[in-house]
Amino acid sequence: REEKTAQQIRQEDEFRHGKIDLDKTLKLLGRMQLGFDYIHVKYIFKKTTEQRKVRTINIEDFIAIYRTLAHRNEIQELFFSYSPNHKILTEANLLEFLKKEQFETEATEATASELIMRYEPIEEVKKLNQMTFEGFLRYMCSTDCAIFKQEHKTVYQDMSYSLCDYFISSSHNTYLISDQLIGPSHLWGYSSALLKGCRCLEIDCWDGPQNDPIVYHGHTLTSKITFASVIQVVEKYAFVASDYPIVLSLENHCSPKQQEVMADYLEKILGDKLLTTTIDETVPTELPSPEALKFKILIKNKKVGTLQDTILRRGIDTHGEVVELEEEVDQSEDEEATERKPMPKTPQPKRKTVEKKSSSPPRKKPKVKKIKLALELSDLVIYTKSEKFVSFENQRANQHCYENNSIGELKARKLVKQSANEFILHTARFIARIYPKGTRTNSSNYNPQEFWNVGCQMVALNFQTPGQQMDLQNGKFVDNGGCGYLLKPEFLRDRYSKFNPHSVIGNQNPTMLSIKLISGYQLPPSNLSRSNKADPIVQIEIHGVPEDQVKQQTCVVRNNALCPRWNETFTFTIQVPELALVRFCVEDQISLVSNEFLGQYTLPLLSMNKGYRHVPLYSKLGDRLDPASLFVYIWYY
Ligand SMILES: *[C@@H]1O[C@H](CO)[C@@H](O)[C@H](O)[C@H]1NC(C)=O
Ligand SMILES: *[C@@H]1O[C@H](CO)[C@@H](O)[C@H](O)[C@H]1NC(C)=O
Ligand SMILES: *[C@@H]1O[C@H](CO)[C@@H](O)[C@H](O)[C@H]1NC(C)=O
Ligand SMILES: CC(=O)N[C@H]1CO[C@H](CO)[C@@H](O)[C@@H]1O
């Protein structure tokens, strides 16, 4: 081992003379490769010093604090049941544990040996190919024992199916970072969505001064940013989190003149990344795959004429050419661009009445809207042409594979209720994008699950608004390496699918899932607590087809956020595991009627490891709350 540094000698000296303060305690704990939460350490340190009426602690106190923090009865019980002498695990003991408890069916002695090498901190024990409790604890707290399957952290799905066979991580009004009426617009919205693996971004474009298009939420007081700066940010962060293609969904309100400026910016700033023609310069009968479009940026906008016309025009200068499109405006629908009224005088819209109107639409005569398009911009639309959704029947007869629909949340929900199977037959062939209704001016989100259940590819959410809906979005898309594309299950890709999310019983053998919620560890304290306490309670929710939606909860453990113990087992019958997400939500019971959020974790059922696992927790804003976690035993078949 390397020689002791002067600093280490000084520290040892301070140890012996009982001069360890809180800061040093934290530093020393930091070196022990087990995560420690500042608040918990602080209050345990404080308790020690108060009891002993001192201000700094000595080495024995430090060890006692370490023991208090790292003491995990539940893990020790496990260790004891596989360690005949209650002191060490041999390679064979560890292998038995892996096979019997962790469902690591392919584990061999070499696997066990590797784990010993990686996690056993005591050299002499390691040399004997054995593991102490310290080593076992490090292993149980490591990513090897996390609930999320390691192999799903990389791109493992077949990426060579057509684009419409994937769920695509999509955001709505990406430029907003808070409110839709008065909030600021910010480039940060784009970079952060891209870094989260989002692959479909929305850009709301308007004519700006000096012939320079701008991005903001039209007719509102949201602040403005230039279109060029948005495209620069997109270019910079496009392929940091994922190699797979990006779709820029343009909500275009610009004059043809500024549309040409937009086209210029797109071509100049994005360069080779911009997709400007089909892959082999022929008209496709099917959308290309994410694999074939790697590192490409696609433009989703209205388009004049067909893709064939665009290909024929290649190389011809279309500068200054403007074409007019006619489109029916369905006033009963909650179309983003058409329904948005000018900003009301007070920023409090009468939400109730607006909502009532849209849920029982008055039958008005369809109005025809004329749209002027610059040919230059129109020709940049290749595989993602925006087309009006009329009806499933009409789309089947007339829609081309490269055309796509945006459908408002309300209309989409109605279609899910009335004709879910037809919806699936539609999304099996065409990309459908769902967006929040216009009355969600505070940027609240709808539940994306009901639209995933019918195979909608782009279920756009307001990424800036945390909550259960974004937890589902983030939890679903951690799968497949977080690349933003998830291959839809076969029954949502099949063009003759009989699947209906509302009648799933008897389709296949249901999956039985059992979760034993054993304990919590270093949970965030309640904001009502003046020390490190909380009254934690855990909700386990299943999100999926309606039949599978269920929520169960544990009892409350009083006054313990450091290591609450539940020992409660929950069982679930899941009809469609391919669509199921499991959400663990930890709350603090502040009264009989109200709980306060402490942390959560969401993941796809099929990305869940079996056996003894820990569940990491995330804050409302999506930040990891390390080392806060739950300890569970998972079993499903
Ligand atoms: C936003 O508005 C909806 C009603 O449209 C309401 O249910 C929700 O609680 C609001 N959310 C926030 C964060 O204010
Ligand atoms: C605790 O948080 C809730 C919201 O989560 C808030 O309403 C409440 O005022 C907070 N209490 C304290 C004491 O900070
Ligand atoms: C949980 O189970 C263990 C034994 O497995 C037991 O020692 C402990 O008291 C139980 N705790 C609770 C809160 O039920
Ligand atoms: C007409 C129609 O519904 N098309 C939509 C396709 O997507 C774009 C961008 O998201 C929308 O602006 C269109 O309204």
Side-chain angles (χ1 to χ4, degrees):
R1 292 199 64 135
E2 60 214 82
E3 281 188 35
K4 286 180 185 170
T5 62
Q7 200 196 351
Q8 275 172 328
I9 293 167
R10 198 166 55 241
Q11 259 170 11
E12 280 169 21
D13 199 46
E14 282 167 347
F15 257 150
R16 274 193 291 273
H17 296 95
K19 282 196 211 136
I20 309 170
D21 62 9
L22 177 59
D23 237 26
K24 281 208 194 77
T25 304
L26 283 161
K27 273 198 197 114
L28 289 169
L29 287 171
R31 289 217 230 123
M32 315 210 64
Q33 290 175 9
L34 285 167
F36 294 106
D37 178 82
Y38 171 75
I39 296 188
H40 285 291
V41 175
K42 180 176 146 189
Y43 283 99
I44 292 166
F45 181 90
K46 208 170 145 202
K47 217 166 145 188
T48 310
T49 50
E50 276 170 8
Q51 270 169 4
R52 298 199 38 246
K53 300 195 170 58
V54 290
R55 301 181 65 183
T56 55
I57 58 169
N58 60 27
I59 181 78
E60 280 76 33
D61 298 326
F62 175 77
I63 290 169
I65 289 179
Y66 172 76
R67 292 244 160 88
T68 309
L69 280 162
H71 186 68
R72 303 287 300 271
N73 249 335
E74 65 280 35
I75 295 179
Q76 199 165 40
E77 284 157 20
L78 259 182
F79 179 78
F80 284 170
S81 58
Y82 283 86
S83 165
N85 66 0
H86 287 198
K87 286 201 175 69
I88 54 110
L89 291 174
T90 63
E91 190 186 78
N93 297 150
L94 184 57
L95 182 59
E96 193 191 357
F97 170 77
L98 293 176
K99 290 200 155 171
K100 269 201 187 151
E101 306 286 5
Q102 302 299 76
F103 300 85
E104 310 262 356
T105 46
E106 277 155 36
T108 60
E109 274 165 17
T111 320
S113 190
E114 236 171 74
L115 292 178
I116 291 171
M117 289 307 130
R118 204 171 319 152
Y119 296 109
E120 178 51 45
I122 302 171
E123 286 298 327
E124 298 77 61
V125 180
K126 197 194 264 190
K127 276 195 199 115
L128 298 172
N129 214 9
Q130 294 173 341
M131 192 180 243
T132 59
F133 174 65
E134 289 292 320
F136 187 68
L137 184 62
R138 278 165 174 70
Y139 165 59
M140 292 307 291
C141 296
S142 73
T143 49
D144 280 326
C145 280
I147 187 169
F148 192 84
K149 278 185 185 164
Q150 198 70 29
E151 59 274 27
H152 288 196
K153 284 190 179 164
T154 55
V155 177
Y156 68 95
Q157 295 177 342
D158 188 340
M159 300 304 279
S160 60
Y161 287 83
S162 153
L163 274 185
C164 72
D165 289 335
Y166 296 83
F167 293 118
I168 305 172
S169 173
S170 303
S171 84
H172 173 253
N173 284 354
T174 317
Y175 49 91
L176 290 184
I177 55 176
S178 64
D179 188 277
Q180 315 256 325
L181 291 181
I182 52 175
S185 301
H186 210 285
L187 291 171
W188 177 82
Y190 288 95
S191 52
S192 84
L194 285 168
L195 291 175
K196 279 185 195 157
C198 179
R199 299 287 91 185
C200 178
L201 308 174
E202 193 186 11
I203 309 181
D204 208 344
C205 316
W206 299 79
D207 278 357
Q210 275 106 45
N211 203 26
D212 198 13
I214 50 173
V215 173
Y216 80 115
H217 206 42
H219 303 308
T220 67
L221 298 181
T222 60
S223 59
K224 304 173 173 76
I225 43 185
T226 66
F227 179 76
S229 65
V230 170
I231 302 306
Q232 272 156 356
V233 167
V234 169
E235 196 276 331
K236 184 163 174 206
Y237 292 97
F239 302 110
V240 176
S242 165
D243 298 348
Y244 293 99
I246 288 177
V247 177
L248 297 182
S249 183
L250 302 183
E251 176 86 46
N252 195 344
H253 308 275
C254 290
S255 64
K257 199 159 160 243
Q258 296 212 7
Q259 289 178 24
E260 288 195 334
V261 178
M262 288 167 62
D264 281 349
Y265 279 137
L266 288 168
E267 288 178 322
K268 284 210 189 81
I269 299 170
L270 300 179
D272 286 348
K273 293 183 180 136
L274 184 68
L275 188 81
T276 55
T277 184
T278 54
I279 285 174
D280 50 6
E281 303 216 7
T282 59
V283 177
T285 50
E286 206 165 284
L287 287 173
S289 67
E291 190 62 38
L293 292 171
K294 255 184 171 177
F295 302 114
K296 287 292 177 197
I297 298 176
L298 284 63
I299 305 301
K300 181 174 190 293
N301 189 44
K302 295 202 185 356
K303 179 178 181 64
V304 190
T306 65
L307 197 45
Q308 181 108 49
D309 303 337
T310 297
I311 293 169
L312 289 176
R313 268 195 299 271
R314 247 179 105 64
I316 299 172
D317 183 14
T318 55
H319 191 77
E321 282 189 50
V322 177
V323 213
E324 207 164 83
L325 263 180
E326 281 194 355
E327 196 185 74
E328 261 187 27
V329 180
D330 178 1
Q331 286 181 311
S332 64
E333 177 50 30
D334 179 45
E335 278 284 348
E336 273 173 303
T338 52
E339 146 142 325
R340 201 182 305 133
K341 304 267 162 28
M343 172 72 179
K345 287 215 176 64
T346 54
Q348 292 294 326
K350 289 183 205 131
R351 227 170 271 141
K352 283 263 160 51
T353 56
V354 175
E355 256 175 279
K356 229 176 230 145
K357 235 189 248 159
S358 36
S359 58
S360 56
R363 283 255 46 101
K364 281 187 197 150
K365 263 199 186 152
K367 211 171 71 181
V368 171
K369 187 173 67 171
K370 288 207 167 111
I371 304 161
K372 284 195 171 135
L373 265 183
L375 203 51
E376 239 181 296
L377 182 63
S378 165
D379 277 348
L380 291 180
V381 177
I382 308 297
Y383 294 115
T384 41
K385 171 178 174 181
S386 299
E387 264 300 320
K388 182 106 206 128
F389 178 85
V390 182
S391 69
F392 291 130
E393 219 170 12
N394 178 71
Q395 305 312 126
R396 250 196 318 277
N398 301 314
Q399 191 163 338
H400 297 285
C401 73
Y402 56 85
E403 294 172 335
N404 60 92
N405 315 110
S406 279
I407 309 176
E409 162 196 353
L410 294 174
K411 182 172 191 168
R413 188 167 299 127
K414 208 176 291 168
L415 293 170
V416 171
K417 289 215 175 91
Q418 287 167 356
S419 34
N421 179 254
E422 248 193 297
F423 210 149
I424 289 165
L425 299 180
H426 177 80
T427 57
R429 304 177 53 184
F430 307 113
I431 291 183
R433 175 176 173 273
I434 311 298
Y435 60 85
K437 60 183 178 185
T439 49
R440 293 186 182 273
T441 55
N442 62 5
S443 298
S444 60
N445 279 315
Y446 54 84
N447 183 343
Q449 184 72 48
E450 63 179 315
F451 304 119
W452 290 329
N453 288 346
V454 291
C456 294
Q457 293 82 352
M458 299 175 172
V459 181
L461 294 182
N462 295 306
F463 269 44
Q464 76 272 27
T465 308
Q468 192 198 59
Q469 299 84 4
M470 273 310 291
D471 295 342
L472 298 181
Q473 157 79 25
N474 292 332
K476 187 174 183 69
F477 284 98
V478 269
D479 195 2
N480 206 24
C483 78
Y485 285 83
L486 301 173
L487 186 62
K488 296 197 279 183
E490 212 276 327
F491 55 79
L492 294 180
R493 288 184 268 130
D494 177 5
R495 293 181 179 190
Y496 302 95
S497 178
K498 298 258 186 314
F499 182 75
N500 185 332
H502 303 294
S503 54
V504 291
I505 297 183
N507 276 359
Q508 52 184 349
N509 285 336
T511 293
M512 307 306 290
L513 165 67
S514 143
I515 299 177
K516 179 172 183 190
L517 193 76
I518 302 166
S519 63
Y521 186 54
Q522 300 197 52
L523 302 179
S526 164
N527 71 353
L528 298 176
S529 162
R530 272 189 277 133
S531 65
N532 60 335
K533 299 285 191 338
D535 294 344
I537 185 168
V538 182
Q539 320 257 10
I540 302 177
E541 306 161 2
I542 309 290
H543 296 265
V545 297
E547 179 69 27
D548 292 341
Q549 304 266 10
V550 63
K551 180 157 120 179
Q552 302 196 46
Q553 71 176 36
T554 62
C555 304
V556 58
V557 174
R558 298 267 167 226
N559 261 326
N560 190 349
L562 179 63
C563 51
R565 188 89 186 247
W566 286 283
N567 288 353
E568 285 180 67
T569 301
F570 302 93
T571 57
F572 303 89
T573 305
I574 294 169
Q575 303 291 341
V576 188
E578 296 89 341
L579 288 172
L581 295 171
V582 182
R583 182 168 182 263
F584 296 86
C585 182
V586 186
E587 294 175 340
D588 176 37
Q589 192 178 65
I590 49 180
S591 76
L592 278 181
V593 288
S594 74
N595 293 344
E596 185 200 308
F597 177 90
L598 292 180
Q600 70 87 32
Y601 187 67
T602 307
L603 81 169
L605 170 65
L606 298 179
S607 295
M608 234 157 68
N609 272 318
K610 298 179 193 174
Y612 287 98
R613 303 289 167 178
H614 65 260
V615 180
L617 292 174
Y618 285 78
S619 73
K620 208 161 239 169
L621 293 174
D623 298 319
R624 182 109 183 225
L625 294 172
D626 250 3
S629 56
L630 299 173
F631 189 59
V632 296
Y633 180 79
I634 306 282
W635 184 66
Y636 61 93
Y637 67 92

